Amino acid sequence: VKIGDTVVVSRAGDVIPQIIKPIEELRTGQEREIEIPNKCPVCGGEVAMEGPFLKCLNLSCPAKLSASIKHLARREAFDIEGLGEKTSKLLVERGLVKDIADVFNLRKEDLKRLPGFSDVSAEQLVLAIERAKKIRLDRFIHALGIPGVGEATARLLAEKFKTLSALMNASKFELMRIRGIGPETADAIVKFFSDERNRNSIKKMLEYGVEVYWGEEKKGPLSGKVFVFTGELDCCPRSKAKEMVEELGGQTADT
């Protein structure tokens, strides 16, 4: 497909228009090739494909910073209660977070200046951030938002490398030896940790008190069993059910 093409469009799913193909016989010669950028147009960071999407790998890219904060705070990552989409945007708009690591250096006095924050709510968020600073390696990896690296892949990486330092210095060859990690994901991981800005952000997180650990595999009545959760559960969210299985020695997977 080129810029200026006449294309055949089909209805995909319920309502989404999908381009099937260009009609080449209708081309006039004025069409232009689509140039895929090899750097982020906003911050100049490395980019990588995730399915059909081209994503910037810079953790602190201004164009994606609020989304990065929201992802970092998810239950499956740092699990920071009270740090949702609205607050994430406010932190960026007011200049309180310019680097993703700044989340872990927020002070009560800073938060009290934000709309909707009282003395109590500011203190609660600071305490939530403080509690979240000790984090298991797989959850930390997932929190980084590396393209192609979800919960299951993050767990594979943690089990293989055991420490953050070992993962950050892993080669593409080492990564591809892990079953379930292909060349595109391996490339994205290597690019992510090769970016000096990302390495500096991670260094700052550690300086601000983030503690990443990977303990011995838990033993329990579910040891040796793998569980996959789909759909909704009556008892609790799927993330909570996964935690319960892992506490009892079992493993969880997305597929």
Side-chain angles (χ1 to χ4, degrees):
V1 176
K2 297 182 178 181
I3 297 171
D5 263 335
T6 301
V7 297
V8 177
V9 177
S10 176
R11 179 175 174 174
D14 290 333
V15 294
I16 301 171
Q18 178 181 6
I19 295 175
I20 304 300
K21 64 178 181 179
I23 304 175
E24 295 187 20
E25 55 268 30
L26 294 181
R27 283 180 172 165
T28 63
Q30 301 300 311
E31 295 80 14
R32 292 178 289 121
E33 294 286 347
I34 298 171
E35 295 183 13
I36 300 176
N38 55 18
K39 297 285 184 182
C40 173
V42 175
C43 72
E46 294 287 342
V47 295
M49 295 299 297
E50 183 176 13
F53 304 106
L54 188 66
K55 293 192 174 183
C56 173
L57 295 179
N58 177 13
L59 267 176
S60 299
C61 174
K64 56 177 264 187
L65 187 51
S66 62
S68 296
I69 297 169
K70 180 186 171 186
H71 176 78
L72 175 137
R74 290 179 60 191
R75 186 183 183 93
E76 300 83 3
F78 274 89
D79 191 16
I80 303 174
E81 188 176 352
L83 189 51
E85 182 175 0
K86 184 179 178 181
T87 301
S88 298
K89 287 182 178 179
L90 274 174
L91 291 171
V92 175
E93 288 170 2
R94 299 301 175 95
L96 293 179
V97 174
K98 296 179 180 178
D99 183 294
I100 193 73
D102 294 340
V103 168
F104 301 99
N105 197 39
L106 288 170
R107 299 173 300 172
K108 179 179 171 181
E109 293 72 24
D110 298 327
L111 295 171
K112 282 170 59 178
R113 296 200 299 268
L114 297 178
F117 270 83
S118 64
D119 191 79
V120 173
S121 57
E123 184 174 3
Q124 286 177 337
L125 181 51
V126 169
L127 288 174
I129 292 170
E130 197 62 35
R131 285 194 298 269
K133 284 184 177 180
K134 187 170 183 179
I135 185 171
R136 205 173 62 203
L137 177 58
D138 58 324
R139 293 167 71 98
F140 182 84
I141 297 166
H142 177 55
L144 296 176
I146 305 168
V149 179
E151 290 179 73
T153 303
R155 184 64 182 258
L156 289 174
L157 292 169
E159 289 173 345
K160 167 66 177 176
F161 294 103
K162 312 295 185 190
T163 68
L164 178 59
S165 176
L167 172 61
M168 289 176 68
N169 294 293
S171 66
K172 180 178 178 179
F173 175 74
E174 289 177 291
L175 292 163
M176 287 185 61
R177 291 182 65 185
I178 302 171
R179 186 175 181 180
I181 295 183
E184 286 188 7
T185 301
D187 269 334
I189 295 168
V190 170
K191 275 187 176 182
F192 182 89
F193 289 118
S194 296
D195 191 315
E196 200 59 35
R197 285 167 293 198
N198 290 340
R199 297 181 78 92
N200 286 336
S201 291
I202 292 170
K203 181 182 177 183
K204 283 174 68 177
M205 287 186 206
L206 301 178
E207 289 173 350
Y208 290 151
V210 172
E211 181 184 343
V212 184
Y213 70 93
W214 184 251
E216 293 295 321
E217 186 176 350
K218 288 188 171 123
K219 301 296 181 182
L222 301 184
S223 294
K225 299 182 186 298
V226 179
F227 293 78
V228 177
F229 295 98
T230 62
E232 294 184 1
L233 303 175
D234 291 334
C235 68
C236 53
R238 276 187 288 170
S239 57
K240 179 62 177 176
K242 288 181 178 182
E243 287 180 12
M244 292 165 65
V245 165
E246 290 168 1
E247 286 295 323
L248 294 171
Q251 294 183 13
T252 61
D254 292 337
T255 56

